[in-house]
Amino acid sequence: MRIGTLLLISILFVMALVSAVLWRWPAYQRNQQQKSGFQAAELGAHLSYLENRYRHFHGTFTEDFSQLQPYADEKMPCALTSSPYLCGGYAYTLEGHWLVMASQLNPEDYLAFELLQGGVDCSHAPEGLEKTPICSSLQ
């Protein structure tokens, strides 16, 4: 009888633990996606800065992001490559004087950094990113 009771209590405890984890999983994933989006937006802002430094010396922007390496003051999270620059689940491309950061999972989620005036278009930002300082301070 005692072993049966301990077994039942153990099974109920495991079920409660699994239920708690499954209940919190969507919130955890949403939080991770928002964190990833914010880091990607910070990288986009840094790439915008590098593009403007490149333009200062060469008179034009470059689609080949590997050309920005000499102007990078800090280590980049991913090696700079030609366009599209892929890093952290986002693709970065230069479209005219706009640096566009698009999600690789959902290309409808993107930010566009206006390089000449220093603005940003957050109208299609990933969920949660439009309320962060990177969007509000640059709009």
Side-chain angles (χ1 to χ4, degrees), residues 41 99-102 109-113 120-122 124-126 129 134-135:
L99 176 72
V100 178
M101 173 198 99
D109 288 345
Y110 66 88
L111 286 180
F113 297 89
V120 65
D121 175 5
C122 289
H124 293 87
L129 193 59
I134 199 151
C135 283

Side-chain angles (χ1 to χ4, degrees), residues 34-94:
Q34 288 176 355
K35 183 179 174 184
S36 171
F38 185 68
Q39 290 171 339
E42 285 180 325
L43 177 57
H46 187 66
L47 285 172
S48 296
Y49 169 73
L50 294 178
E51 282 284 356
N52 276 302
R53 284 189 71 189
Y54 183 89
R55 181 175 170 251
H56 175 77
F57 290 103
H58 300 279
T60 186
F61 298 114
T62 180
E63 290 185 26
D64 183 358
F65 295 104
S66 65
Q67 298 294 315
L68 302 175
Q69 188 61 50
Y71 305 99
D73 297 334
E74 56 193 53
K75 187 174 185 320
M76 300 300 287
C78 303
L80 291 167
T81 62
S82 59
S83 189
Y85 172 53
L86 305 175
C87 188
Y90 289 84
Y92 300 85
T93 57
L94 186 69

